[in-house]
Amino acid sequence: MSQLVKCSFNKAYLERAKLLYIESEDLTRNEANEIFAVFFKKVLIAKDAEEGLNVFIENRSKVDIILLDINMPNSKGLELLEEIRKIDWNIPVIIVAAFTEVEILLKSIKYNITNYIVKPMQLNTTLKIISQLMEVKEQKKEIARKDNELKQFISILDASNIICEMDLEFNILSANDSFLVNSGYELSEVIGKKINDKAILCNYETQELKIQDSLLKGKTWIGLSKRVAKDGTFYYTHSTILPIFHNDGKVKKFIEFATLISKYENEILALKKHILLLKTENFKAHKDLKSENQFYVDLSNNLQKEIDKSVENTQKYLFELYELKKQNTLLFEKLRTQEKRFEEFQSAVFSGQ
């Protein structure tokens, strides 16, 4: 094995890695082990195929990468590689082979080898390859971790918001359960419908064309919306509509996140503005304004309490109604099955006569 001249690999990745090194030649194995022990967190050594397989099975959860001399006596290297792949198809395996051992190299390819190193094994090249593999492995772990966090975040958003996706024509592509519960519609009834369809959904608090034009330019819209449920009742939401982009920067669709708000939110805001106006402009001119002001404050607070209570009860009833609808559907299906069985029974009886 040649000596290392210049370090061209990231030691940090090696320091976190556990290596299984399987080599039948004693001198090569011992020399390499002395060097590997300096760089790796842990090095497991095996001198033949049988020992290598046993060490791998006993330490499977601890091994990050395998370095295997494929040219063992009696083709044991290939047999060992086959047995390892029966246990774990994805663990990185680097084989060491002579440049002339083309046939062995070709046979080993079908066992999903990660890379190969030509004998005599160059230390710098070997460590560089392993370092790069460990870097990719850790990047995949980080991507998986972020993907899991993203899924959890989406789950939280989905549970606490009314969500729907729309195409560039503002036709609904998908809607979550909260959207369906509050609107009273089935998913099949809203897919393909425009979000601003008067018979179904929204009347935003800004001119519709301005909203659509802004969104198509890639801007986010935030505001209040008045919605129509299937039974004709109204409910109000605070909505955020986000454009979703292609890789080339063009808008490909929109997602709306909406939070259910008090039915009389606008009325309460207007009342508070009226109170503020009276307080600032007429306080000094009218001695009795203080009591009038307090009256409006109390009226506003009481109205807010009643509305919040009403919204809470309405939300509860909506979810209960949604569950009852599902139960009724199941009962109806069971009834139809029983009727069918009864008809079959009658048919059998009469045919028997």
Side-chain angles (χ1 to χ4, degrees):
M1 182 182 300
S2 64
Q3 296 299 314
L4 179 64
V5 177
K6 182 180 179 182
C7 180
S8 60
F9 53 88
N10 192 325
K11 295 180 181 179
Y13 291 111
L14 300 180
E15 291 171 354
R16 297 192 288 270
K18 303 178 187 67
L19 173 71
L20 171 56
Y21 178 41
I22 307 169
E23 169 61 60
S24 58
E25 295 181 5
D26 293 337
L27 180 61
T28 302
R29 183 178 65 253
N30 293 333
E31 287 182 349
N33 184 35
E34 290 180 2
I35 299 172
F36 288 156
V38 175
F39 292 97
F40 290 92
K41 181 177 181 179
K42 188 173 184 178
V43 181
L44 301 171
I45 299 295
K47 63 180 179 296
D48 54 40
E50 182 180 359
E51 184 180 9
L53 183 60
N54 290 333
V55 172
F56 175 66
I57 293 174
E58 293 173 2
N59 300 273
R60 180 182 173 186
S61 61
K62 301 177 182 178
V63 175
D64 293 306
I65 194 165
I66 298 173
L67 183 61
L68 169 63
D69 179 10
I70 200 67
N71 190 24
M72 291 184 177
N74 301 319
S75 300
K76 291 294 183 179
L78 278 174
E79 292 179 9
L80 173 58
L81 180 58
E82 182 180 3
E83 291 301 316
I84 289 174
R85 283 304 181 220
K86 288 179 181 178
I87 300 171
D88 191 330
W89 183 257
N90 296 313
I91 187 170
V93 177
I94 301 174
I95 65 170
V96 182
F99 185 75
T100 56
E101 296 171 333
V102 178
E103 184 178 353
I104 295 178
L105 181 60
L106 292 175
K107 288 180 179 179
S108 65
I109 290 176
K110 69 177 182 179
Y111 296 113
N112 192 33
I113 61 170
T114 309
N115 209 328
Y116 73 94
I117 295 173
V118 178
K119 288 184 177 180
M121 186 168 61
Q122 301 294 315
L123 178 61
N124 188 64
T125 301
T126 302
L127 294 176
K128 181 178 180 180
I129 291 174
I130 297 177
S131 172
Q132 291 172 344
L133 287 174
M134 289 306 304
E135 181 179 5
V136 171
K137 188 174 182 178
E138 292 197 15
Q139 287 174 348
K140 289 181 178 179
K141 286 183 178 180
E142 180 64 15
I143 291 173
R145 183 187 67 79
K146 291 182 177 179
D147 183 61
N148 184 55
E149 289 182 357
L150 180 60
K151 289 178 180 178
Q152 293 180 29
F153 178 69
I154 292 174
S155 177
I156 292 171
L157 286 177
D158 187 69
S160 57
N161 289 272
I162 298 169
I163 302 175
C164 72
E165 293 187 21
M166 298 165 280
D167 62 19
L168 296 180
E169 300 295 326
F170 298 92
N171 299 311
I172 297 175
L173 299 173
S174 66
N176 70 344
D177 289 342
S178 184
F179 182 103
L180 301 176
V181 168
N182 284 282
S183 67
Y185 287 95
E186 299 293 336
L187 183 60
S188 59
E189 294 177 298
V190 298
I191 294 297
K193 300 290 185 180
K194 288 191 178 296
I195 191 69
N196 57 353
D197 190 325
K198 293 181 180 179
I200 296 184
L201 300 174
C202 289
N203 178 21
Y204 297 107
E205 265 203 349
T206 313
Q207 290 185 19
E208 181 183 320
L209 293 178
K210 288 185 177 180
I211 296 176
Q212 295 182 0
D213 183 60
S214 177
L215 289 168
L216 288 170
K217 290 180 179 178
K219 297 180 180 179
T220 299
W221 182 84
I222 300 174
L224 300 176
S225 61
K226 178 181 179 182
R227 297 172 181 264
V228 185
K230 187 175 182 179
D231 61 5
T233 59
F234 295 102
Y235 62 101
Y236 295 77
T237 63
H238 184 274
S239 300
T240 300
I241 305 179
L242 303 169
I244 305 300
F245 300 93
H246 289 287
N247 291 335
D248 60 4
K250 294 182 179 179
V251 178
K252 67 176 181 179
K253 62 180 180 180
F254 307 102
I255 296 183
E256 179 184 17
F257 296 89
T259 304
L260 195 67
I261 61 173
S262 171
K263 181 179 179 181
Y264 299 103
E265 181 79 6
N266 292 338
E267 288 83 349
I268 293 172
L269 290 174
L271 184 59
K272 289 181 177 179
K273 289 180 180 178
H274 178 64
I275 294 170
L276 182 61
L277 182 64
L278 290 172
K279 185 176 180 180
T280 55
E281 295 183 357
N282 302 320
F283 184 78
K284 294 181 180 180
H286 301 279
K287 296 180 180 179
D288 59 345
L289 184 60
K290 185 174 182 180
S291 60
E292 183 183 355
N293 178 51
Q294 187 60 45
F295 168 79
Y296 280 110
V297 171
D298 294 339
L299 178 62
S300 175
N301 291 335
N302 291 334
L303 180 59
Q304 182 68 65
K305 290 179 181 178
E306 289 298 321
I307 290 167
D308 290 342
K309 183 178 179 181
S310 174
V311 170
E312 181 179 354
N313 290 335
T314 301
Q315 190 77 350
K316 178 181 177 182
Y317 293 146
L318 283 171
F319 277 102
E320 290 177 352
L321 179 60
Y322 181 73
E323 292 298 323
L324 286 173
K325 285 176 66 178
K326 291 198 297 185
Q327 294 176 14
N328 287 341
T329 301
L330 291 174
L331 290 173
F332 182 74
E333 292 296 329
K334 289 181 179 179
L335 179 60
R336 291 197 60 181
T337 302
Q338 291 176 351
E339 289 177 346
K340 185 177 180 181
R341 290 177 178 173
F342 181 74
E343 291 173 358
E344 291 174 350
F345 174 77
Q346 284 183 322
S347 177
V349 170
F350 288 126
S351 62
Q353 291 178 351

